Amino acid sequence: MKEHSKKLAILQQLSDGQFHSGEALGNHLKISRSAISKHISTIQDWGLLIYKIKGKGYALSTPIELLSSNKVIYKKLPEPVLLGVIDSTNQYLLNKMEDLESGQSCFAEYQTSGRGRRGRSWVSPFGSNIYFSLYWKLENGLAATMGLSLAVGIAVVNALEKLGCSNLKLKWPNDIYWNDKKLAGVLIELSAQSGGAAHVVIGVGINVDLDERFSNEIGQPWVDLKSILKKKNQRNKLANELLSSLHEVMLEFEKNGLSSFIERWKTLDNYMDKHIILQLGTTNIEGVCKGIDAQGAILLDINGNTTSFVGGEISIKKH
Ligand code: BTN
């Protein structure tokens, strides 16, 4: 982290979206203008667009709201670690798991190897989105974790609704959609069990202010909070809402499992009664989506018979 302290300090200055001269930045950080220029090149590799104009200096193409320990202040869980640059917030917690208290979380400004479900990567430009992970020790063990991923999707929806988002939907098992475009994703990773408890890391990525330049890399329809709310970046507020809503959901899930969430999930299901394809390995199964069962498996009506599936990836069947 220390190796990036100068770049992070430059970004602190540039976060207002205004022009800052190389000289002013250099004076502030006590380094030369050419050192500033080198740092700026690396920062651009972090996915930020920086304008350089002769006589004016450097400016970000859009202001960013950096996460701050003065603003992320949810007190009912261990204090979240705010990271600048990290490979993946999930990996950060998985590496430290043995020393962690249940409820420990972290946020990052930038992930160099952010990961998504099914071995995909998760586009993670600096300061643009939320990259969050939470460690939880589930005393009930692995059996409970299937339903967990659905409950977490609901927690993310709840947090986004607190910011004013409406019409949010879920795509089984836990993608968050708005108008058929992906707004957020959840990746739950497990570590080896000890004494029956399951050690889970819940990773959440939410698009907050994502540049169109990343569309090719994402490769599916997506949306960010800025376009939905038409408001400026509120990453610190969203971070607090996410901590609070996930905490509430985890406590309820520990007590009653998925049962308390089934009805809410049904109201959020984006695929209910739609003709879909479930891709299971190399096999495609077609059917009409009939929601989820008590364990969180997806229900498909296949020629009049309803069958449940615990894994796979769903998509709308195109006619
Ligand atoms: C998906 O929809 O494919 C899941 C995306 C999960 C992305 C988040 S970002 C924070 C956490 N760290 C990661 O490397 N991935 C998750």
Side-chain angles (χ1 to χ4, degrees):
M1 172 79 112
K2 193 137 201 330
E3 58 183 306
H4 296 305
S5 61
K6 296 280 188 235
K7 293 175 197 69
L8 295 174
I10 293 172
L11 280 164
Q12 194 83 49
Q13 298 294 304
L14 294 182
S15 61
D16 58 6
Q18 303 296 311
F19 275 96
H20 295 260
S21 71
E23 190 180 355
L25 291 170
N27 289 341
H28 184 78
L29 271 83
K30 302 194 175 33
I31 55 176
S32 68
R33 279 164 57 180
S34 74
I36 292 285
S37 160
K38 277 190 201 141
H39 284 309
I40 295 274
S41 310
T42 309
I43 290 172
Q44 281 170 319
D45 295 339
W46 292 355
L48 287 172
L49 197 56
I50 298 180
Y51 300 126
K52 183 181 178 193
I53 295 187
K54 229 181 164 166
K56 288 178 98 176
Y58 304 99
L60 283 174
S61 60
T62 176
I64 51 178
E65 185 187 296
L66 295 172
L67 294 174
S68 148
S69 52
N70 298 326
K71 294 182 183 155
V72 182
I73 42 168
Y74 184 71
K75 295 276 182 232
K76 296 184 191 166
L77 286 174
E79 189 179 342
V81 179
L82 303 186
L83 301 158
V85 176
I86 199 75
D87 48 359
S88 145
T89 54
N90 270 24
Q91 193 57 50
Y92 175 82
L93 292 186
L94 285 166
N95 290 346
K96 291 182 176 301
M97 194 174 259
E98 281 176 13
D99 306 319
L100 296 180
E101 198 184 327
S102 188
Q104 179 65 60
S105 63
C106 68
F107 291 87
E109 296 291 1
Y110 174 54
Q111 297 187 118
T112 54
S113 311
R115 49 192 192 229
R117 290 179 65 237
R118 308 172 75 76
R120 297 190 188 109
S121 59
W122 187 256
V123 173
S124 307
F126 190 99
S128 315
N129 300 321
I130 287 287
Y131 316 118
F132 168 77
S133 297
L134 169 72
Y135 163 66
W136 207 272
K137 185 175 169 193
L138 274 179
E139 299 295 346
N140 291 342
L142 275 185
T145 52
M146 162 79 200
L148 174 65
S149 92
L150 281 81
V152 169
I154 292 177
V156 178
V157 168
N158 292 347
L160 289 163
E161 285 183 347
K162 285 271 170 56
L163 262 85
C165 270
S166 47
N167 300 321
L168 295 167
K169 293 282 175 192
L170 286 167
K171 175 186 169 191
W172 184 85
N174 52 20
D175 286 350
I176 291 84
Y177 270 64
W178 183 85
N179 273 358
D180 291 327
K181 295 176 192 152
K182 185 156 168 174
L183 172 63
V186 174
L187 174 67
I188 297 187
E189 296 186 270
L190 307 164
S191 162
Q193 288 176 268
S194 71
H199 299 269
V200 296
V201 169
I202 298 162
V204 180
I206 305 175
N207 300 333
V208 177
D209 183 359
L210 188 56
D211 197 285
E212 289 289 339
R213 286 179 297 141
F214 296 102
S215 288
N216 278 350
E217 254 178 274
I218 295 175
Q220 64 168 303
W222 61 272
V223 67
D224 62 10
L225 260 188
K226 190 182 172 188
S227 341
I228 299 175
L229 295 175
K230 315 260 183 279
K231 256 195 232 165
K232 82 177 193 15
N233 215 313
Q234 297 176 288
R235 290 170 73 230
N236 287 285
K237 184 166 170 23
L238 178 54
N240 284 315
E241 295 299 354
L242 193 57
L243 284 164
S244 151
S245 98
L246 261 171
H247 186 200
E248 194 181 318
V249 161
M250 292 308 292
L251 294 179
E252 178 58 30
F253 186 83
E254 272 184 330
K255 239 196 281 164
N256 297 317
L258 189 62
S259 59
S260 348
F261 300 99
I262 301 266
E263 282 311 309
R264 169 93 163 120
W265 212 94
K266 283 184 185 160
T267 65
L268 293 169
D269 190 344
N270 200 32
Y271 287 68
M272 189 65 162
D273 292 327
K274 292 186 181 157
H275 208 126
I276 61 170
I277 296 178
L278 174 76
Q279 196 189 334
L280 253 185
T282 52
T283 314
N284 281 350
I285 299 160
E286 285 186 33
V288 177
C289 177
K290 289 290 162 198
I292 54 170
D293 70 9
Q295 283 71 45
I298 189 161
L299 296 171
L300 287 194
D301 177 334
I302 305 167
N303 302 324
N305 295 317
T306 302
T307 313
S308 64
F309 297 89
V310 293
E313 168 124 323
I314 62 168
S315 56
I316 287 284
K317 177 167 163 36
K318 296 193 180 84
H319 294 283

